[in-house]
Amino acid sequence: MKPIRTIAITSGKGGVGKTNVATNLAVALRQLGENVLIFDGDLGLSNVDVLLGLVPKYNIQHVLTGQKRLKDVIVEGPQGIKVLSASSGIQEMTYLDEFQRLKVLEEFEDYQGEIDTLIIDTGPGISSNVTFFCITAQNIIVVISPEPTAVTDGYALIKVLFTKYQEKKFKILVNSANNASEALTVFRHLSETAEKFLQVSLDYLGFLPMDEAVQKAVRAQRSFLDAYPEAAASKSILSIAGRLQEDSLDSLKGSLQLILGNPIGEARDVRL
Ligand SMILES: Nc1ncnc2c1ncn2[C@@H]1O[C@H](COP(=O)(O)OP(=O)(O)OP(=O)(O)O)[C@@H](O)[C@H]1O
Ligand SMILES: [Mg+2]
């Protein structure tokens, strides 16, 4: 069976646009013909459902407590993307123990065959949930913005993932840039620092412009690509999705793909 490609969207700093990138990337990949599931990994403060105007009855918490199976809590979002929501205001969900983590992976294993791509929208910060979702994913997209704090927090997250989990592959997306050259300058700054101090080389995935259509879509609780297909941000996210598809043949690393193909015991040894 074709393994699921997993993409974690993360940033270190809060509010830089992770959830917008995650939801719209899901819609973009769907437009390119993929079956996509977006999982709200901001487990205590769900936002994906809010941004997409969905009110799901059940969420990942019901799966973790054994009340529901994954397929029963997944709902349909714009253009046929699948959405797995988090709970909101449940503090216990902000730290998953090892058993719960394995349960999440097991449930996704059962879902193999239904989807091509799993996009995980992480919460801000460098909590253990965030690092867990990053290290289990095949691709890590770090969203930064031209603000210095977004760059330093992005670097801090990369540093943690590298020093603690030997993660070496990162794709950088610059959000809310004024133009392409500003985005590239911001990327180069981060990339030179990562190269110098961590010997980690970063890939430039592209940028999303600062675009009023994003804010309008957020207020309307719609995906900007769905609501404003002609907007500059929509064109950018589609080309980013195309680029991701091009390198989807990237070599497998010790990731959810491997975990899904392995007995859980091995997964524990490898990754957790
Ligand atoms: N490209 C953009 N152009 C204009 N506004 C943007 C853009 N990207 C994000 N925003 C604004 O930033 C806000 C925060 O975005 P979003 O919720 O996606 O960030 P986040 O990183 O997921 O936040 P959190 O860390 O709280 O999960 C959006 O509601 C929107 O108003
Ligand atoms: Mg978010």
Side-chain angles (χ1 to χ4, degrees):
M1 203 183 297
K2 197 165 144 244
I4 300 171
R5 175 180 53 175
T6 51
I7 304 171
I9 315 285
T10 194
S11 67
K13 185 170 167 58
V16 293
K18 292 176 294 301
T19 307
N20 272 281
V21 167
T23 49
N24 288 281
L25 184 61
V27 175
L29 287 170
R30 178 80 196 113
Q31 286 187 3
L32 296 175
E34 297 194 24
N35 284 320
V36 187
L37 170 64
I38 175 165
F39 168 39
D40 191 339
D42 197 351
L43 294 183
L45 289 172
S46 71
N47 269 180
V48 170
D49 51 354
V50 180
L51 274 191
L52 296 177
L54 302 169
V55 190
K57 207 163 163 198
Y58 305 107
N59 58 58
I60 186 74
Q61 197 190 358
H62 299 95
V63 177
L64 288 172
T65 53
Q67 290 166 273
K68 293 278 167 200
R69 296 305 305 269
L70 197 60
K71 63 176 175 36
D72 303 318
V73 304
I74 287 172
V75 297
E76 193 149 304
Q79 303 192 12
I81 63 165
K82 295 174 164 60
V83 180
L84 172 56
S85 288
S87 54
S88 207
I90 310 285
Q91 200 181 16
E92 299 79 70
M93 292 295 288
T94 57
Y95 171 77
L96 293 187
D97 61 31
E98 199 163 307
F99 174 79
Q100 292 170 313
R101 288 173 184 185
L102 290 174
K103 174 111 180 110
V104 173
L105 295 181
E106 256 182 328
E107 289 284 339
F108 283 128
E109 185 175 12
D110 282 354
Y111 210 62
Q112 213 170 347
E114 305 282 328
I115 52 167
D116 304 303
T117 300
L118 167 66
I119 294 178
I120 307 174
D121 175 32
T122 77
I126 49 174
S127 70
S128 60
N129 275 0
V130 172
T131 54
F132 169 68
F133 290 134
C134 287
I135 61 170
T136 51
Q138 192 186 336
N139 293 289
I140 302 172
I141 298 180
V142 181
V143 181
I144 58 172
S145 79
E147 288 184 13
T149 44
V151 180
T152 52
D153 289 3
Y155 176 77
L157 173 77
I158 290 167
K159 185 175 170 188
V160 169
L161 289 170
F162 172 68
T163 51
K164 227 172 148 190
Y165 305 99
Q166 295 78 52
E167 200 59 64
K168 292 187 193 68
K169 262 180 58 184
F170 300 93
K171 294 182 192 298
I172 308 300
L173 190 160
V174 181
N175 187 27
S176 306
N178 285 310
N179 51 52
S181 86
E182 181 188 44
L184 208 53
T185 305
V186 171
F187 165 73
R188 287 212 180 104
H189 178 59
L190 175 64
S191 140
E192 280 162 17
T193 312
E195 193 116 13
K196 183 168 170 201
F197 295 106
L198 306 174
Q199 285 85 50
V200 170
S201 77
L202 310 178
D203 285 343
Y204 183 56
L205 186 61
F207 80 101
L208 291 187
M210 176 63 96
D211 187 342
E212 212 193 341
V214 176
Q215 287 151 8
K216 285 202 313 212
V218 167
R219 283 196 281 272
Q221 293 185 270
R222 291 187 61 188
S223 139
F224 61 76
L225 177 54
D226 191 37
Y228 303 103
E230 296 303 321
S234 298
K235 290 183 178 149
S236 298
I237 198 77
L238 264 175
S239 76
I240 284 171
R243 210 163 304 141
L244 269 173
Q245 273 193 326
E246 276 164 28
D247 53 44
S248 67
L249 297 173
D250 260 7
S251 57
L252 298 184
K253 64 169 202 187
S255 66
L256 184 55
Q257 285 216 333
L258 265 187
I259 291 169
L260 289 176
N262 279 342
I264 285 299
E266 271 181 51
R268 279 167 80 127
D269 294 344
V270 175
R271 279 292 174 178
L272 302 179

